[in-house]
Amino acid sequence: MKTKIINEDIVNRNTLTQVLFLTSYPPRECGIATYSQDLIKSLDNKFSNSLSIKVCALEADDVDYKYPAEVKYVLKTSIAAEYEKLATKINNDHDLKMVLIQHEFGFFHLQEQAFVEFLTSISKPVVIVFHTVLPNPDEKFKINVQQIAAASEAIIVMTNNSAGLLTNDYGVPSQKISVIPHGTHLVPRLNKTSLKLKYKLKGRRVLTTFGLLGSGKSIETTIEALPAIVKKHPETTFLVIGKTHPEVVKNEGEKYRKMLVQKVEELGLNDNVRFINKYLDLPELLEYLQLTDIYLFTTNDPNQAVSGTFVYAMSCGCPIISTPIPHAKEILTKDTGIIFDFRNTQQLAAAVNKLLKNDKLRRSISINTLQKIVSTAWENSAVAHALLFDKIVGDKITIRYNLPDINLKHLDDMTTSVGMIQFSKINQPDIGSGYTLDDNARALVASCMYLETTGDKKIISRIRKYLGFIKFCQQPEGDFLNYVDKDLHFTGQNQEVNLDDSNGRAIWALGYLTSLTDQLPRKLIADAITIIEKSLPHMSRISSTRSMAFAVKGLYHYQTAVDSLKNIELITTFANRLTQMYKHESSKGWEWFESYLTYGNSTLPEAMLYAWLLTKDTVYKDIALASFKFLLKQIFNENGIEVISNRHWLQKGQKAEKFGEQPIDVAYTIMTLSKFYHEFNDDDYREKKEIAFNWFMGSNRLHQIVYNPSTGGCYDGLEDTHVNLNQGAESTVSYLMARLTLEKNKDLKKSSGVKLQKHKKELSERKRTNYSGDHKKQSDRSLVG
């Protein structure tokens, strides 16, 4: 699906596509009610500029709930006449474009025929979400499901097993079925030790189960297994979280809970079991799950199609031990959990003891669990639903991704008193990875962009920190080293790799900083100028393609602070070298500077554009346009943007590898598209910039988010089947640069070349040859001192 991103301030609210959800809904306490609320919230967070989600709340019996504003209608499911009235309202509601029904057989069991007639009488497209699909149906049940399916435009199930049952047992066409897994919450990974301290569980090994209590949960299975567990691990605590299901209370009171409490007392387990008899708010629930060592799912219902509770536990990194419901068999492997037989206390005790005695295995399962479940994040569920809505409603809908708020939290977390740490494990900074000049140069650019865009002076302390790191990396000869360990020692890696690109990035960052003369303290500007001036003799000798391109960008910005022929001359030298490379390698169908495409490709045409803006040499402009056109043709297709793989560079005459897409290349492309649009006002650049940004939002080959809104971090890459969960410096800063580019564009004004006129005559008298460094040193530093 081709999607567009449109800024909130230009969206006409009348263009929103209204979708009606028929579902139980809070304050009703029900798993599907919570599921629907989470899904609607995620759809609203990502697509409120294109979708308006309304709710028809399903009610049983004589209740009087006070619903939130999104609830538009109420259906009393036990009254047949109410179905016909609701169908009339839906058909006469011109704002509604489609209806999605969260289906559970218990909702409609008193009025099955009225429900089917309701479906057939609705004139809007209907999507059914089957939360339960039972195997081996009798003829009556089978016909009922077939009637529901026939009246639906599309069907959603949450597991492949359910999809298979619908096709094989009910004869529902497979093309009508979409599998969208139960959504899960992105969790910022809080410290387990601190959480245990907070909830008075210090030093305890915590087993947890949660959900509305009822006999189907078979909590007694765990309680009966506990003596064998406590014998080997006396520090074990079993948390039973959740109040008794309202329907259970209505029918039998607290009989089941009392039986569990009595069993705990009889087994002498009062010190090892804690009942938390309330419906926890989501933040508190997720904290309990994050402190959990093992999550237990012990249902005794073999036909339970899906469990929201254990996927929520998986999203918190809990190793799972579960009975063999279809959902568990589909999602759990030996790397993500253990399955045991229904009501088998011996198997359960053995599985728990196995994990409790092996911390390494438990940590490994936790990481594997997070990787397995991340694709089911509510944000990804929202994308999958939006894609389906687009398919069903067609021309009546245009999907627009919302722009996330600018979030510097992960940038803060990754930054120490020294600078920005290189890598993270998931979202936890890995100080053992040390620091790099590359990351701190990019962090400096992003921080300067943030200041320029928001005017928030608090960022200046961070700018000073990143600048200080760059200064630390500068050597006596003016060049820069790149790799620094956690103890601030330069590592041997500096002698093993070419550092030209790192040096070029440093000049880019320093030059960009110096351009903010109206927003930064003079001392910071002067410090950056001193570092640049010291580096220029070394810079004149570099010949690496991207290093020269980064340097051109930095020197262009530097020229706004230091009006100097030396800057223009060096830019011209680099531009001429890039021109010669382009003329040597380019041919029909390969208009490029090299015989391959690698990383940071868009920086090359962008550098030629900057060179043209400064010198007005049309050769640079022509090469900028031709090479960028060629690059865009390689990386944009009907799926959006697919940048060059970091696994295999694209060689001339070969096909591109589809896996290993890096956020940094998407971000650089966005920045270049923004600059080209700014200069040439070509809508194709603007549209591609927006398409490229949607890559972070989930409009990519995997339809998964790459930016994590819960942490403010960005996943390290898009692999063949999954995202790389780590959120290191490079990817996080790259996302921030992309996001700030879109923010900056809101106020961007057309500008021309920078401070050229003064030296135009001198330039025309000089040959454009490689910078020799023997000209007289300029002394016209406008801000030094």
Side-chain angles (χ1 to χ4, degrees):
M1 178 185 72
K2 289 186 177 180
T3 55
K4 294 182 179 180
I5 182 168
I6 298 178
N7 291 339
E8 292 88 336
D9 55 344
I10 63 172
V11 171
N12 184 342
R13 307 308 293 181
N14 293 328
T15 66
L16 299 184
T17 298
Q18 195 171 112
V19 179
L20 182 69
F21 276 42
L22 265 72
T23 178
S24 58
Y25 206 68
R28 181 174 176 177
E29 292 173 344
C30 161
I32 292 178
T34 303
Y35 170 91
S36 293
Q37 187 177 54
D38 286 340
L39 174 57
I40 290 170
K41 182 179 179 181
S42 66
L43 283 164
D44 189 59
N45 285 341
K46 289 194 76 69
F47 300 111
S48 63
N49 290 314
S50 49
L51 297 174
S52 173
I53 310 297
K54 299 298 181 181
V55 174
C56 174
L58 303 178
E59 288 186 354
D61 301 327
D62 192 16
V63 294
D64 185 23
Y65 292 121
K66 292 183 178 179
Y67 291 110
E70 61 267 25
V71 175
K72 190 173 187 176
Y73 303 118
V74 173
L75 174 64
K76 297 288 187 181
T77 56
S78 60
I79 304 173
E82 293 296 307
Y83 290 86
E84 184 178 352
K85 291 178 183 178
L86 178 61
T88 301
K89 290 178 182 178
I90 291 173
N91 291 339
N92 292 334
D93 190 336
H94 299 298
D95 292 331
L96 284 178
K97 303 304 179 188
M98 64 174 291
V99 178
L100 183 143
I101 301 174
Q102 303 289 355
H103 181 277
E104 182 58 70
F105 292 101
F107 286 159
F108 309 107
H109 72 283
L110 296 177
Q111 296 294 342
E112 289 180 357
Q113 189 58 38
F115 176 63
V116 172
E117 291 174 359
F118 164 75
L119 291 177
T120 58
S121 65
I122 294 176
S123 60
K124 312 291 173 74
V126 173
V127 177
I128 288 284
V129 184
F130 279 119
H131 286 257
T132 297
V133 181
L134 298 176
N136 307 312
D138 60 30
E139 192 62 22
K140 180 182 177 182
F141 194 85
K142 180 178 180 179
I143 290 172
N144 179 246
V145 171
Q146 288 175 332
Q147 289 176 327
I148 294 171
S152 306
E153 187 80 16
I155 296 168
I156 296 173
V157 292
M158 298 178 201
T159 66
N160 292 315
N161 178 75
S162 293
L165 288 175
L166 282 177
T167 300
N168 299 325
D169 289 17
Y170 296 88
V172 177
S174 59
Q175 61 268 26
K176 205 170 193 176
I177 304 169
S178 296
V179 178
I180 302 178
H182 193 298
T184 55
H185 295 280
L186 293 172
V187 178
R189 300 278 292 166
L190 303 176
N191 182 272
K192 181 175 287 193
T193 302
S194 299
L195 288 174
K196 286 185 176 181
L197 189 63
K198 176 179 178 178
Y199 290 102
K200 297 180 173 55
L201 290 163
K202 181 181 178 181
R204 307 297 291 181
R205 299 293 189 98
V206 179
L207 315 177
T208 300
T209 192
F210 86 91
L212 293 171
L213 218 59
S215 59
K217 298 284 187 182
S218 195
I219 305 299
E220 63 273 18
T221 300
T222 301
I223 293 173
E224 291 167 5
L226 273 177
I229 296 169
V230 171
K231 183 177 181 180
K232 292 187 176 182
H233 302 280
E235 72 280 12
T236 297
T237 294
F238 176 40
L239 302 180
V240 183
I241 301 174
K243 62 192 297 185
T244 305
H245 197 293
E247 293 299 314
V248 173
V249 172
K250 184 171 64 176
N251 294 326
E252 61 179 51
E254 292 287 359
K255 177 181 176 182
Y256 180 65
R257 182 182 295 274
K258 290 177 180 177
M259 181 274 289
L260 295 176
V261 171
Q262 182 179 349
K263 190 176 286 289
V264 167
E265 292 175 351
E266 289 172 354
L267 295 173
L269 296 171
N270 286 323
D271 292 336
N272 301 97
V273 180
R274 183 187 299 182
F275 289 93
I276 302 173
N277 185 12
K278 62 179 181 177
Y279 195 84
L280 297 184
D281 291 335
L282 181 64
E284 187 177 5
L285 172 62
L286 294 179
E287 286 190 349
Y288 269 111
L289 292 176
Q290 286 182 84
L291 64 79
T292 295
D293 293 294
I294 303 172
Y295 185 80
L296 305 178
F297 184 76
T298 56
T299 182
N300 55 25
D301 180 5
N303 293 321
Q304 182 170 344
V306 66
S307 168
T309 64
F310 86 64
V311 293
Y312 275 30
M314 289 181 75
S315 73
C316 293
C318 298
I320 309 294
I321 299 177
S322 172
T323 49
I325 66 167
H327 195 189
K329 289 193 288 185
E330 186 168 310
I331 202 169
L332 292 183
T333 67
K334 62 181 179 63
D335 297 321
T336 56
I338 298 173
I339 292 178
F340 73 102
D341 292 333
F342 295 105
R343 297 188 176 90
N344 193 318
T345 57
Q346 291 81 15
Q347 287 183 7
L348 176 58
V352 170
N353 284 329
K354 176 183 178 180
L355 292 184
L356 287 182
K357 75 176 183 180
N358 193 332
D359 291 346
K360 183 178 179 180
L361 175 61
R362 211 168 58 252
R363 284 194 297 268
S364 174
I365 288 177
S366 178
I367 296 298
N368 294 334
T369 295
L370 288 170
Q371 185 66 74
K372 179 84 172 182
I373 207 68
V374 68
S375 64
T376 69
W378 280 117
E379 289 77 3
N380 292 330
S381 181
V383 171
H385 280 82
L387 286 168
L388 183 60
F389 297 168
D390 178 75
K391 179 181 177 181
I392 292 170
V393 180
D395 293 340
K396 297 177 183 178
I397 183 174
T398 300
I399 297 298
R400 305 176 182 93
Y401 285 78
N402 295 351
L403 280 174
D405 292 337
I406 297 169
N407 184 355
L408 302 183
K409 182 181 183 304
H410 196 53
L411 184 73
D412 290 341
D413 292 344
M414 292 287 287
T415 300
T416 69
S417 60
V418 172
M420 191 169 193
I421 297 169
Q422 183 176 194
F423 297 139
S424 75
K425 296 177 179 178
I426 313 293
N427 69 314
Q428 298 300 306
D430 180 12
I431 187 61
S433 67
Y435 308 86
T436 67
L437 172 66
D438 286 336
D439 292 327
N440 282 273
R442 283 186 289 256
L444 180 58
V445 171
S447 298
C448 288
M449 291 176 71
Y450 181 81
L451 174 64
E452 189 177 19
T453 302
T454 68
D456 185 353
K457 299 291 185 182
K458 295 177 184 176
I459 199 73
I460 292 177
S461 62
R462 199 176 294 121
I463 290 173
R464 185 175 287 111
K465 191 176 297 183
Y466 300 138
L467 177 62
F469 187 86
I470 293 174
K471 183 178 181 180
F472 172 78
C473 290
Q474 190 168 38
Q475 301 303 291
E477 297 299 316
D479 61 321
F480 301 88
L481 297 182
N482 187 38
Y483 300 100
V484 180
D485 69 18
K486 64 184 179 66
D487 299 316
L488 299 186
H489 300 131
F490 291 110
T491 72
Q493 199 172 355
N494 289 295
Q495 282 70 52
E496 297 169 3
V497 299
N498 189 313
L499 300 180
D500 279 359
D501 286 4
S502 302
N503 279 250
R505 288 187 192 94
I507 298 302
W508 170 36
L510 293 164
Y512 192 68
L513 183 154
T514 63
S515 70
L516 303 184
T517 55
D518 295 333
Q519 294 174 282
L520 285 171
R522 291 171 61 89
K523 177 64 166 59
L524 272 182
I525 302 287
D527 286 348
I529 289 173
T530 300
I531 299 170
I532 291 176
E533 289 296 325
K534 185 177 179 180
S535 73
L536 289 183
H538 166 77
M539 287 304 298
S540 66
R541 298 189 291 271
I542 67 171
S543 58
S544 166
T545 316
R546 282 153 190 77
S547 180
M548 291 190 293
F550 284 122
V552 167
K553 289 179 64 172
L555 291 168
Y556 175 89
H557 292 297
Y558 185 42
Q559 181 68 7
T560 67
V562 178
D563 181 11
S564 168
L565 176 62
K566 179 173 56 178
N567 297 333
I568 301 170
E569 202 169 35
L570 192 49
I571 287 174
T572 303
T573 296
F574 290 148
N576 284 342
R577 291 178 187 172
L578 291 170
T579 297
Q580 290 304 312
M581 296 175 75
Y582 179 84
K583 289 180 177 179
H584 182 266
E585 291 293 346
S586 66
S587 59
K588 186 176 181 180
W590 189 267
E591 293 82 11
W592 196 243
F593 304 85
E594 301 158 315
S595 62
Y596 43 78
L597 290 169
T598 59
Y599 62 92
N601 296 298
S602 69
T603 306
L604 306 186
E606 186 180 1
M608 297 304 288
L609 178 62
Y610 277 115
W612 168 67
L613 289 172
L614 199 59
T615 68
K616 297 307 177 185
D617 188 326
T618 57
V619 172
Y620 303 156
K621 174 186 175 184
D622 292 344
I623 293 175
L625 288 168
S627 60
F628 197 38
K629 181 180 180 180
F630 166 76
L631 176 62
L632 295 178
K633 188 176 180 180
Q634 307 307 310
I635 62 177
F636 281 87
N637 55 42
E638 66 277 4
N639 298 323
I641 186 172
E642 294 181 355
V643 293
I644 304 302
S645 169
N646 72 331
R647 294 187 186 180
H648 302 287
W649 304 136
L650 176 58
Q651 302 290 332
K652 187 175 182 179
Q654 295 183 358
K655 287 188 177 181
E657 173 78 54
K658 293 296 184 185
F659 313 130
E661 298 173 58
Q662 301 292 295
I664 190 169
D665 285 310
V666 179
Y668 282 162
T669 303
I670 290 168
M671 296 172 81
T672 305
L673 284 162
S674 177
K675 188 61 182 175
F676 271 70
Y677 176 64
H678 177 226
E679 298 305 329
F680 300 112
N681 201 31
D682 185 339
D683 280 343
D684 186 57
Y685 294 135
R686 176 183 56 80
E687 290 171 5
K688 281 185 167 63
K689 176 187 64 178
E690 294 164 355
I691 289 169
F693 187 79
N694 288 347
W695 182 89
F696 290 101
M697 300 294 98
S699 184
N700 51 52
R701 179 174 44 78
L702 295 182
H703 302 305
Q704 293 186 30
I705 56 169
V706 184
Y707 168 65
N708 184 328
S710 76
T711 64
C714 180
Y715 297 130
D716 277 353
L718 204 64
E719 304 301 339
D720 49 354
T721 61
H722 60 278
V723 295
N724 183 331
L725 284 182
N726 295 324
Q727 299 162 49
E730 178 184 292
S731 54
T732 294
V733 173
S734 295
Y735 166 78
L736 279 174
M737 290 191 296
R739 177 63 185 87
L740 289 164
T741 296
L742 266 64
E743 193 73 16
K744 185 179 176 183
N745 288 168
K746 293 179 180 179
D747 304 312
L748 206 57
K749 295 181 179 179
K750 193 85 170 173
S751 66
S752 58
V754 181
K755 294 186 180 178
L756 172 69
Q757 296 302 319
K758 177 179 175 182
H759 301 295
K760 202 166 187 179
K761 184 177 179 181
E762 290 177 82
L763 272 174
S764 66
E765 296 171 353
R766 291 175 180 261
K767 284 187 175 182
R768 291 193 178 102
T769 57
N770 287 348
Y771 177 64
S772 63
D774 60 356
H775 63 278
K776 183 180 177 182
K777 203 164 191 177
Q778 299 296 313
S779 58
D780 52 352
R781 297 183 185 178
S782 59
L783 290 171
V784 172

